[in-house]
């Protein structure tokens, strides 16, 4: 349960289990005690200096710190693996730039479509279906360009980025 609370799968992320086991078997932080409810479930109580309970939780008090440490290690491992893969399979800078332009354009187009749909929902007339699927471009909508431009300006979406990259 501690491993799952730290967002790792003990079967597939066994590399991080020593860190989890160390945290589970370490001393409780000061003021914390383990209790067991009638259903044999563990819970944790924090008491002040006078012994008065101030907080209780089902989650081990070390989970948050260990989870952050494990996630940092996972991120570092993934970055190291990505850098190794990039070193083994170098990417052509022109190809990378073209891919970035396509992603940016797709992001802008998706933003424009979402804005248009929101405008339609908020201000559209139910009697008129002025936003339809574009038959020439599946997955895209046909709509009044003025509405799209107005919505983009209102939401500060830079549509010039599309023109600049054509």
């Amino acid at each position: 349960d501690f491993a799952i609370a730290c967002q790792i799968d003990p079967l597939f992320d066994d590399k991080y289990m020593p860190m989890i086991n160390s945290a589970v078997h370490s001393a409780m932080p000061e003021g914390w005690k383990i209790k067991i409810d009638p259903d044999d479930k563990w819970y944790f109580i924090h008491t002040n200096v006078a012994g008065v309970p101030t907080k209780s939780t089902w989650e081990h008090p070390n989970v948050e710190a260990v989870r952050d440490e494990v996630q940092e290690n996972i991120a570092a491992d993934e970055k190291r693996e990505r850098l190794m893969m990039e070193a083994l399979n170098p990417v052509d800078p022109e190809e990378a730039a073209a891919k970035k332009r396509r992603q940016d354009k797709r992001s802008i187009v998706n933003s424009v479509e979402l804005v248009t749909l929101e405008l339609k929902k908020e201000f559209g007339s139910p009697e008129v279906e002025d936003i339809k699927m574009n038959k020439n471009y599946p997955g895209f909508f046909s709509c009044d360009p003025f509405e799209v431009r107005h919505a983009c300006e209102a939401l500060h979406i830079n549509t010039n980025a599309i023109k600049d990259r054509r």
Side-chain angles (χ1 to χ4, degrees):
D1 289 342
F2 193 94
I4 292 169
C6 290
Q7 299 175 346
I8 69 164
D9 183 332
L11 297 176
F12 296 104
D13 297 322
D14 60 341
K15 174 180 181 176
Y16 307 104
M17 286 310 292
M19 191 182 313
I20 299 297
N21 290 330
S22 173
V24 168
H25 297 296
S26 66
M28 294 290 288
E30 188 175 332
W32 285 95
K33 294 181 183 175
I34 300 173
K35 299 288 184 178
I36 301 175
D37 75 0
D39 295 327
D40 290 330
K41 292 183 182 177
W42 291 16
Y43 64 100
F44 304 89
I45 292 185
H46 184 267
T47 56
N48 62 16
V49 181
V52 177
T54 58
K55 183 178 182 181
S56 67
T57 179
W58 292 105
E59 191 171 84
H60 191 289
N62 289 336
V63 164
E64 191 173 330
V66 175
R67 178 176 43 228
D68 291 347
E69 185 179 352
V70 167
Q71 293 304 316
E72 286 173 12
N73 286 346
I74 289 172
D77 289 346
E78 288 173 353
K79 181 178 180 181
R80 190 172 29 262
E81 288 172 12
R82 185 176 36 79
L83 291 174
M84 282 192 282
M85 291 304 293
E86 287 174 1
L88 293 172
N89 302 313
V91 177
D92 177 25
E94 288 180 20
E95 184 180 320
K99 181 178 179 181
K100 175 86 170 103
R101 283 192 301 274
R102 286 190 305 271
Q103 287 172 338
D104 289 349
K105 184 176 179 179
R106 196 173 312 122
S107 176
I108 290 170
V109 168
N110 288 341
S111 297
V112 169
E113 287 179 5
L114 288 174
V115 167
T116 304
L117 290 173
E118 283 300 312
L119 281 174
K120 171 67 178 168
K121 186 168 65 176
E122 191 72 26
F123 303 109
S125 169
E127 296 87 32
V128 179
E129 187 58 47
D130 54 352
I131 298 178
K132 298 179 179 118
M133 292 300 290
N134 189 323
K135 293 176 185 172
N136 296 328
Y137 300 98
F140 292 91
F141 295 90
S142 296
C143 54
D144 181 5
F146 176 76
E147 289 178 2
V148 174
R149 183 171 304 274
H150 176 70
C152 288
E153 288 171 1
L155 294 170
H156 307 291
I157 296 173
N158 182 7
T159 57
N160 291 329
I162 294 174
K163 293 177 191 172
D164 295 343
R165 293 194 172 138
R166 285 185 183 163

